[in-house]
Amino acid sequence: MLRAEGLNVAYGDFQVLWDASIRVGEGEIVCLLGPNGAGKSTLMNTLSGLLKPRTGRVEFRGKRIDRLPAHRIVAEGMSHVLERRRLFPYLTVRENLVLGAHHPGARRHREESLVHIEAIFPFLRERRQQLAHTLSGGEQQMVAIARGLMARPRLLMIDEPFLGLAPRVVEEIVAVIRRIHADGVTIIFIEQNVELALRLADRGYVLESGRTILEGSSPELLQSAEVKRIFLGGRAG
Amino acid sequence: MCIIRASVTAVPQLLVSTVLLGGIYALIAVGLTLIFGIMRVVNFAHGEFLMLGMYLAFWAFTLLALDPYVLLFVSIPLFFGAGLLTYTLVMKGVIHASHNVQIFTTVGLSIALQNVALVLWTGDFRFVRPWYYSVVVRLGGTAFNLSQIAAFVVSVGFTVALFAFMKWSYTGRVMRATAQDRDAASLMGIDTDRVYGLTWAIGIVCVGVAGVLLAPLYPVYPTAGLQFVLLAYVVVVLGGLGDMVGALLGSLIVAAVEVVGSYVFGTAWKEVLYFLLFIAILLIRPAGLFGQRGTETLGV
């Protein structure tokens, strides 16, 4: 479904991604793992078109998208929920959701999407008219995911969905992601907590210093000495 | 020492003059604050579009005998087009550049437009004098010019329509969303460059229409925009950059300072007064009278 190869991405003179590659198949849940500054968000931002790679290519559902602007990529069926929710703070919850369905393909189905989304997130019904910045962190994360779904994506990418949330809320969001996945949406997410990430994901990629150094199924990665070295500070072998 | 000549009977007249003047300033300021609020660009060429509006009114009146208020309807699409054109030719290339580059660009645009006007139409003062120019309306101890009222009514109508558009229309929401988070907006499928073009064009329409409205009241010359746009900067900073309601209230305050100050101290003092006020506000409340600290980064 998604194939990114040989991505080199830089901010000015500072190169962040070095030859990064990932592949995601239809129906998978894939996590991007790695320490702070490894380039996970940069990779995701490049996939969604916010950043342009110096070299390399991104193909999504058979179409090359790395030269398309971000607002065109959404219409291809890829939705990206940014790190730290990034709702429109001074718009209401409802307005945020409606804007999520901005591209013509999603706008046609806006009303049914809203019904579908309020079924997944029942609390949204009472919060329609509330300004987004007045919601709690967990609620904001749910609205951000809901807004991402309003675009009716085939692939939903979520950057750190569990950041700064209480354990109970983390479990709620895990359940929400599973439900969205069960509805047939492919998922990529970023998470620093290996246990949590691999419990949810089928497969993972490990990034370190801007390179995709490791790839494997969740059970494989959980056993991997390399993963232990990076995340637990232990020495391999 | 200045002699205070204020008398109670002057109060209604001062009030009416303030409101009439404030309404027109509002339309100039609202365009400026809209462009700043959404695009984060301070448009130093704002006054030149006002000047172009005044010249448009002058030439339409002189050559075609077209009344400025009839011209309004033509001027809206005309300035919208001029806005889109200048956005595409000039602003689009610098919209993602640093603030310094943007400042130089709009200052350059301002100087270029002033000089084009100078070359085409010379530096002579020109006047638009329709039949109602000298019609004075007297009401309850106050007197005002008919053109002033017409300018006020159109200006306020326009400003209110813009508020409503920004608050309730879908496109207005798209514009506010873009101001609040550009990356998030583009991930919704919003073409943010187009939003900026639209914002610029709407801002230019506001100030161009204000120019048409002001033509029967003030002389027309290549740097005519300057005096008004200086005022508009004071208004916009007073109200909080990017804050449209603040711009409206700021317009009334500046108009009050100008009207009352001219009455009490003499016309020569009006600029001193509102710039003193301006400096005081910057020292005490840099986010503007009505602005919350930091909200200017979030747009309207």
Side-chain angles (χ1 to χ4, degrees):
Chain A
M1 176 179 234
L2 177 79
R3 199 165 72 185
E5 270 163 11
L7 295 177
N8 284 290
V9 179
Y11 298 103
D13 286 337
F14 182 65
Q15 186 158 350
V16 180
L17 284 187
W18 302 82
D19 215 18
S21 301
I22 76 164
R23 276 167 190 248
V24 176
E26 183 114 39
E28 280 193 298
I29 304 187
V30 172
C31 66
L32 304 181
L33 291 162
N36 270 330
K40 306 180 295 294
S41 293
T42 302
L43 175 57
M44 203 173 259
N45 291 347
T46 309
L47 297 176
S48 68
L50 287 178
L51 294 171
K52 297 291 162 224
R54 292 253 162 108
T55 57
R57 58 188 288 140
V58 182
E59 266 175 41
F60 180 58
R61 299 172 68 205
K63 183 171 173 180
R64 189 167 176 185
I65 58 166
D66 52 88
R67 298 287 158 222
L68 289 181
H71 66 90
R72 296 268 306 278
I73 293 177
V74 193
E76 299 291 328
M78 181 195 289
S79 194
H80 178 184
V81 179
L82 287 163
E83 193 179 350
R84 299 187 183 278
R85 299 73 151 144
R86 298 279 286 272
L87 297 175
F88 303 118
Y90 292 91
L91 296 184
T92 63
V93 167
R94 182 68 168 214
E95 288 172 328
N96 267 279
L97 294 177
V98 163
L99 287 173
H102 180 78
H103 75 82
R107 211 179 307 183
R108 272 196 294 278
H109 303 281
R110 192 164 80 193
E111 294 311 313
E112 52 183 285
S113 298
L114 280 167
V115 171
H116 173 67
I117 272 155
E118 287 182 345
I120 304 179
F121 306 95
F123 83 98
L124 288 176
R125 271 181 223 132
E126 299 109 61
R127 298 302 173 84
R128 278 177 192 162
Q129 299 308 321
Q130 201 170 328
L131 292 182
H133 74 101
T134 63
L135 298 173
S136 73
E139 288 169 337
Q140 288 194 25
Q141 185 62 63
M142 296 206 205
V143 175
I145 293 173
R147 186 178 66 174
L149 284 178
M150 287 297 291
R152 299 176 78 87
R154 298 291 197 89
L155 170 65
L156 181 66
M157 303 198 294
I158 318 174
D159 193 341
E160 301 232 30
F162 310 114
L163 192 70
L165 300 181
R168 184 184 52 81
V169 184
V170 168
E171 288 314 312
E172 280 179 43
I173 295 200
V174 166
V176 158
I177 293 176
R178 288 222 164 95
R179 163 142 192 206
I180 295 165
H181 178 245
D183 286 342
V185 180
T186 305
I187 293 185
I188 307 179
F189 69 98
I190 292 175
E191 172 53 38
Q192 309 232 18
N193 177 334
V194 183
E195 299 263 331
L196 172 63
L198 294 176
R199 180 158 63 83
L200 177 59
D202 305 321
R203 218 153 54 76
Y205 284 87
V206 179
L207 278 84
E208 194 185 25
S209 310
R211 294 164 209 274
T212 36
I213 55 164
L214 204 61
E215 179 269 318
S217 69
S218 295
E220 281 167 14
L221 289 178
L222 275 172
Q223 299 303 316
S224 150
E226 191 79 346
V227 169
K228 289 194 178 108
R229 174 187 67 79
I230 295 170
F231 291 96
L232 304 172
R235 290 192 180 276
Chain B
M1 270 310 287
C2 26
I3 304 148
I4 297 174
R5 293 167 292 152
S7 67
V8 184
T9 52
V11 170
Q13 178 67 55
L14 292 179
L15 220 63
V16 168
S17 299
T18 296
V19 170
L20 291 181
L21 198 62
I24 299 168
Y25 288 170
L27 189 53
I28 307 174
V30 149
L32 193 66
T33 214
L34 178 78
I35 289 174
F36 181 80
I38 308 238
M39 301 169 71
R40 322 308 296 167
V41 170
V42 178
N43 179 16
F44 286 99
H46 208 61
E48 278 51 58
F49 289 99
L50 186 89
M51 173 271 290
L52 289 177
M54 294 175 93
Y55 268 111
L56 180 68
F58 171 77
W59 287 115
F61 184 72
T62 311
L63 299 179
L64 308 171
L66 209 60
D67 188 277
Y69 300 119
V70 178
L71 180 68
L72 272 182
F73 298 97
V74 190
S75 68
I76 293 171
L78 222 55
F79 275 100
F80 193 82
L84 288 183
L85 190 72
T86 43
Y87 176 78
T88 313
L89 294 180
V90 182
M91 297 312 296
K92 199 175 179 179
V94 299
I95 195 73
H96 302 297
S98 75
H99 284 306
N100 287 345
V101 173
Q102 292 171 346
I103 288 169
F104 284 122
T105 306
T106 59
V107 169
L109 181 62
S110 156
I111 296 171
L113 291 174
Q114 278 175 18
N115 285 288
V116 166
L118 190 64
V119 169
L120 289 178
W121 306 314
T122 76
D124 295 348
F125 276 40
R126 321 243 191 187
F127 298 90
V128 181
R129 295 279 179 262
W131 61 268
Y132 46 78
Y133 168 70
S134 50
V135 176
V136 174
V137 180
R138 291 181 193 283
L139 200 79
T142 66
F144 34 81
N145 196 303
L146 194 60
S147 337
Q148 260 184 314
I149 304 175
F152 171 79
V153 169
V154 176
S155 176
V156 168
F158 218 87
T159 309
V160 169
L162 186 63
F163 280 136
F165 172 76
M166 289 305 291
K167 185 126 184 76
W168 290 298
S169 79
Y170 183 76
T171 309
R173 287 188 184 116
V174 167
M175 289 164 72
R176 282 187 290 149
T178 305
Q180 289 171 23
D181 196 324
R182 182 167 62 88
D183 279 348
S186 56
L187 290 176
M188 310 288 105
I190 294 169
D191 184 347
T192 52
D193 282 354
R194 266 183 64 189
V195 171
Y196 293 145
L198 180 68
T199 305
W200 178 265
I202 292 175
I204 298 304
V205 166
C206 290
V207 72
V209 164
V212 173
L213 289 171
L214 287 174
L217 295 165
Y218 297 91
V220 182
Y221 54 97
T223 51
L226 221 54
Q227 49 169 329
F228 295 104
V229 87
L230 271 178
L231 264 163
Y233 292 131
V234 178
V235 165
V236 163
V237 172
L238 257 175
L241 277 163
D243 182 339
M244 291 177 67
V245 177
L248 196 62
L249 296 171
S251 301
L252 285 172
I253 293 173
V254 167
V257 170
E258 179 173 338
V259 168
V260 178
S262 305
Y263 177 74
V264 177
F265 301 106
T267 322
W269 283 88
K270 69 178 189 193
E271 268 146 23
V272 176
L273 288 172
Y274 65 64
F275 276 106
L276 279 177
L277 174 78
F278 181 55
I279 292 167
I281 299 261
L282 283 181
L283 287 175
I284 302 161
R285 285 194 61 105
L289 273 186
F290 315 103
Q292 251 179 313
R293 221 168 266 263
T295 48
E296 75 277 6
T297 58
L298 291 164
V300 279

